[in-house]
Amino acid sequence: MTTIPFDNSYVRLPDRFFVRRAPTPVAAPRLIRLNHALAANLGIGPDWLAGPAGVGMLAGNSVPEGADPIATAYAGHQFGNFVPQLGDGRAVLLGEVVDRNGQRRDIQLKGAGPTPFSRRGDGRAALGSVLREYLVSEAMAALGIPTTRALAAVATGELVVRETRLPGAVLARVAASHIRVGTFQYFAARGDAEAVRALADHALVRHYPEASSAEHPYRALLDGVVARQAELVAGWLLVGFVHGVMNTDNMSVAGETIDYGPCAFLDAYDPRTSFSSIDAHGRYAYGQQPGIALWNLTRLAEALLPLLADDEAAAVETAEALLAGFGPRFEKAYHDGLAHKLGLSADRDGAVALADDLLARMAENRADFTLTFRRLCDAAERPEADAGVRDLFVDPTEYDAWAVRWRKLLDEEGRTPVATASAMRTINPAFIPRNHHVEAMIAAAVEQGDFGPFEELLAVLSRPYDDQPDHARYAEAPEGGGADYRTFCGT
Ligand code: AMP
Ligand code: MG
C-alpha cells in the first residue's frame, strides 16, 4: 500500500471554482506507458504505479487516499468567440503533490468520464489523441520548452464513438496548475470580483511568489504572465511548433504549453502554416502565434482590471503599459534565439537581419525548418557541409549568397568552428515529432495494437539534440514538404 502525499490547494478555494466528481471507472484498464522518471520526481513509487492498484488509479477506477477529485470551472474565447462556460468536460483533477524540487503539481486524468461541464461530450478520449499528447508533450519537455507532462497512458478497453468507433484511453497529465486565462474570464464575466481576487491570490502564491511581495502584486502577476507567455511563444517559434488551438481556455497562467490537440511541427518553413482542420482562416497559424498570445493576454488583463487600480481609467492605463511589455520581451527572446541558432551572439551586429533574410529565403524555397538549422551546425564546422543545406532549397544559390554573409559574422565571433557547431547542436534539434511519423505511430497503435513505433519514437525524441544515426529516418522531412498535412481536434 502506497500513500501519495497529496496536498490539494485548489479545493480550498470557494465551492464555485469546481465540482467534486470522481472519475468514471473503465472496463479493462491496461497500462500502455508509465513515465518512471516523472513518477519518481513526484514521489510516487513507479513500481506501485505500474501495478494493479496504480493502474486502477491512473484509469480512474479507484480514487487513492488523499485525492479529492474535481472538475474545474473555466470559460474561454474559442476562435475569438466568448463562451462563458467551458470547464473540465473530460478531465478530473485528482489532486496536487509537491515534487522533489519543491514544485506543486497537479495530477489530472484526461478522458476520465463525464462531468457537469461535459455538455454533449462523452468525457472520454480516443487512444490516438492520448498518444499524440503523451509523445508531443514529452518531446517539448526534452526540447527544453515549458510544458505539461505525461505521467501515464492507460487503455480503457472501451470504445469511444467519434466519426468511427475508436479505442479509448486515459492520459494522466501533470501540470504546474490547470489555471487558464479562461479561468479568470469565467469569474470576471459573472461579475464575481471576489472570486477573481481569490484566484489571483492563488496564482500569485503558486506561480509568482516573488510577485506576492511586490508593491502592486496583481500588476506583478499580469506582468509575470506576460513575460512567461512571451518567452514560451518565442520558444515555440524557434523549434517550429504550431499549437493549433490557442483559445484562451488553452493558455496556462503558469506559462506552460497546455492542451495538445491539433498541434504539429513545421516541416517546410512557411509562417502561414496552420495544420488544424478547424482553423480554416489560419487564426492560429505559426506566424500568428505571438499576436494571438498578446490578444489572449489582453483578455486576461480585462479580467484583472478591477485589481490593477482603484479607478477604471487608471486600471486601463496600467494594463496597457503591462501589455506593452509583451512585444519587446517576445522580440528579445525570439531574436536572441535566432542568433544562437546561427551560432552568433545575441548582440552581434547584423545577426537579426541575417536571420530574417535566411527565413525569407527558406520560405521562398520551401526549405525544411528543422533540417536547415541542424545542417547549418555541420556547415559551421566544415564548409563542405554546405552541400547538405543547399539541397534543402529549391534554388540552392539562394543559400550560397546568404552563407557568404553568415560566414563573415561567424568569423567576427572568433570561436573555433568545432566550438560553434557543438553549441549550435544544443539548440537546433535533429529530431522533432515529425507529423508523418506521429501519424504512422498512431495508426500502428490504433489499427494493429502495435505500440512499438510509439516506444521507439518516444525514446528518440527524449534526446532531440543528439545525432542518433540508427534512427536517422526519424529526422527526415516528408516527401513534398508536408504542407498538406491536416490535424483534427480529435478528442
Ligand atoms: P479543447 O478544445 O480540447 O480545449 O476543449 C474545449 C472544451 O470542450 C473543454 O471544456 C473540454 O473539456 C470540452 N471537451 C472536449 N472534448 C470533450 C469530450 N469528449 N467530452 C466532454 N467534453 C469535452
Ligand atoms: Mg482545452
Side-chain angles (χ1 to χ4, degrees):
M1 186 56 218
T2 276
T3 18
I4 299 171
F6 281 109
D7 174 38
N8 310 319
S9 64
Y10 206 78
V11 292
R12 297 198 279 269
L13 286 163
D15 285 349
R16 55 196 188 281
F17 280 63
F18 53 83
V19 176
R20 282 204 160 75
R21 169 62 58 118
T24 306
V26 302
R30 190 176 63 77
L31 184 65
I32 297 168
R33 186 68 162 54
L34 176 67
N35 188 336
H36 286 251
L38 181 58
N41 188 250
L42 295 172
I44 309 174
D47 293 337
W48 177 83
L49 213 40
V55 174
M57 173 189 106
L58 293 168
N61 284 22
S62 59
V63 174
E65 201 185 313
D68 197 346
I70 57 172
T72 70
Y74 55 84
H77 274 90
Q78 298 188 309
F79 293 91
N81 304 307
F82 187 62
V83 184
Q85 176 149 330
L86 291 165
D88 292 324
R90 56 163 170 163
V92 169
L93 176 60
L94 286 181
E96 302 154 30
V97 298
V98 176
D99 72 15
R100 297 241 155 109
N101 307 319
Q103 298 294 315
R104 176 176 296 277
R105 297 170 92 179
D106 278 1
I107 303 177
Q108 190 205 58
L109 302 182
K110 189 167 172 181
T115 77
F117 304 115
S118 297
R119 292 169 294 164
R120 284 176 301 282
D122 59 2
R124 292 299 185 189
L127 173 63
S129 72
V130 166
L131 295 180
R132 173 189 286 277
E133 174 155 351
Y134 195 120
L135 185 95
V136 181
S137 64
E138 287 303 299
M140 291 287 269
L143 286 165
I145 295 178
T147 176
T148 61
R149 301 292 304 269
L151 176 61
V154 176
T156 60
E158 296 175 2
L159 294 173
V160 295
V161 182
R162 297 293 180 259
E163 272 108 73
T164 56
R165 289 158 84 82
L166 296 166
V170 177
L171 178 76
R173 170 162 90 176
V174 172
S177 83
H178 286 82
I179 303 168
R180 303 144 190 275
V181 168
T183 317
F184 282 94
Q185 290 181 289
Y186 177 87
F187 297 110
R190 282 164 177 71
D192 189 345
E194 205 185 307
V196 173
R197 184 181 292 269
L199 184 60
D201 289 337
H202 180 88
L204 273 167
V205 172
R206 197 159 168 183
H207 301 307
Y208 300 90
E210 65 294 346
S212 300
S213 51
E215 191 186 347
H216 296 287
Y218 302 119
R219 295 182 194 178
L221 171 64
L222 179 57
D223 192 51
V225 181
V226 167
R228 283 194 202 167
Q229 284 296 334
E231 281 176 21
L232 181 66
V233 173
W236 290 355
L237 296 200
L238 292 166
V239 296
F241 179 75
V242 187
H243 183 284
V245 61
M246 287 178 73
N247 294 333
T248 57
D249 53 303
N250 292 335
M251 183 185 263
S252 159
V253 166
E256 292 180 334
T257 312
I258 189 168
D259 279 6
Y260 293 84
C263 63
F265 282 73
L266 294 183
D267 292 302
Y269 177 71
D270 180 347
R272 293 166 305 182
T273 306
S274 77
F275 295 107
S276 171
S277 58
I278 56 168
D279 189 14
H281 302 290
R283 177 181 170 90
Y284 299 139
Y286 171 86
Q288 298 288 100
Q289 296 181 114
I292 287 291
L294 179 57
W295 191 91
N296 291 349
L297 291 164
T298 307
R299 306 288 82 77
L300 176 65
E302 285 165 2
L304 291 174
L305 270 189
L307 299 178
L308 297 180
D310 287 336
D311 75 280
E312 195 179 324
V316 169
E317 200 177 311
T318 303
E320 280 170 356
L322 294 170
L323 292 167
F326 180 87
R329 279 169 168 140
F330 166 76
E331 300 269 306
K332 171 147 178 50
Y334 179 60
H335 287 152
D336 288 5
L338 280 177
H340 294 148
K341 281 175 87 71
L342 295 178
L344 302 170
S345 356
D347 57 1
R348 171 75 39 210
D349 274 347
V352 172
L354 186 79
D356 284 345
D357 184 36
L358 175 65
L359 290 171
R361 288 166 195 252
M362 286 166 65
E364 266 167 49
N365 286 276
R366 306 214 42 79
D368 183 84
F369 184 79
T370 303
L371 283 180
T372 299
F373 284 101
R374 187 68 181 185
R375 291 187 187 172
L376 280 176
C377 308
D378 303 331
E381 193 165 322
R382 25 183 202 97
E384 312 86 81
D386 273 353
V389 196
R390 298 181 86 243
D391 281 354
L392 300 169
F393 287 66
V394 174
D395 174 2
T397 64
E398 289 273 312
Y399 169 71
D400 299 337
W402 177 86
V404 174
R405 289 165 50 216
W406 177 48
R407 293 229 151 75
K408 215 165 144 271
L409 292 201
L410 278 180
D411 279 349
E412 288 174 22
E413 291 287 331
R415 279 198 294 185
T416 67
V418 171
T420 301
S422 58
M424 288 172 71
R425 288 192 188 101
T426 66
I427 48 167
N428 291 312
F431 298 96
I432 51 154
R434 292 269 183 190
N435 303 318
H436 57 302
H437 291 303
V438 173
E439 290 305 323
M441 170 283 279
I442 290 173
V446 172
E447 289 158 27
Q448 268 106 48
D450 175 7
F451 293 91
F454 170 69
E455 291 292 336
E456 185 170 80
L457 198 46
L458 194 61
V460 170
L461 292 170
S462 71
R463 297 162 46 213
Y465 298 108
D466 293 350
D467 285 319
Q468 301 174 51
D470 292 348
H471 298 293
R473 70 183 196 94
Y474 286 118
E476 284 163 18
E479 293 288 326
D484 48 12
Y485 179 69
R486 284 289 159 273
T487 55
F488 300 89
C489 211
T491 66

